[in-house]
Amino acid sequence: GQNIDQPTEMTATEGAIVQINCTYQTSGFNGLFWYQQHAGEAPTFLSYNVLDGLEEKGRFSSFLSRSKGYSYLLLKELQMKDSASYLCAVRDSNYQLIWGAGTKLIIKP
Amino acid sequence: IAGITQAPTSQILAAGRRMTLRCTQDMRHNAMYWYRQDLGLGLRLIHYSNTAGTTGKGEVPDGYSVSRANTDDFPLTLASAVPSQTSVYFCASSDRATGELFFGEGSRLTVL
């Protein structure tokens, strides 16, 4: 079966750095997405990786290793507004998205 | 720019009633999706449509139906609602070039 694993919850301090991991087992791979979802709101797009390596976008970076079935989202200089759930999703061989359950990130002052 | 509009935003429904959740997009995206999101679970695909006139079943299609008469609209119908269909429903469309999903604000449905 297809599976996406990510931690249920993480806590970090304002101003610090946090890494949210995602491992996947899917039938085929056509890209990995990270989305941010604030409580009670819709998910919004953060990043997309299809090749191995690091993609940097401001305070957020996303890394992919296809051989290891692994990705991480790195958040730097954490702000209180970064408190949200972070969703990892993999596009499989049928171009359908398989979603992880999300990681709830709690930022403490 | 509206993006994707869902209605209603919230609804309480008696079991056995019929309910249609509306979804309209103005981005001219070919592909549209309906997901449900439940606590502790990832987004689960109910139905999808790759282009107007076609639909397909997702991971959890039972008890739901969709139609795609045109590019902009993708309504989701619960023919006879049951309490297990209590959830938050998200409509989404995707950009062909990037595959990025754009979500509506969600419809919170409670079936009693």
Side-chain angles (χ1 to χ4, degrees), chain B residues 6-8 18-23 33-36 46-48 60-61 63-67 73-79 85 88-91 107 109:
Chain B
Q6 290 184 231
R18 181 184 180 89
M19 177 71 195
T20 295
L21 303 180
R22 300 183 298 279
C23 175
Y33 310 84
W34 273 106
Y35 288 95
R36 61 177 290 173
I46 304 171
H47 285 284
Y48 66 92
V60 288
Y64 306 94
S65 63
V66 292
S67 61
D73 300 302
F74 191 43
L76 176 74
T77 297
L78 290 69
Q85 291 178 312
V88 179
Y89 291 86
F90 286 103
C91 180
S107 297
L109 183 66

Side-chain angles (χ1 to χ4, degrees), chain B residues 7-26:
Chain B
T9 56
S10 180
Q11 182 76 44
I12 299 173
L13 187 67
R17 297 297 295 269
R18 181 184 180 89
M19 177 71 195
T20 295
L21 303 180
R22 300 183 298 279
C23 175
T24 300
Q25 55 116 349
D26 63 3

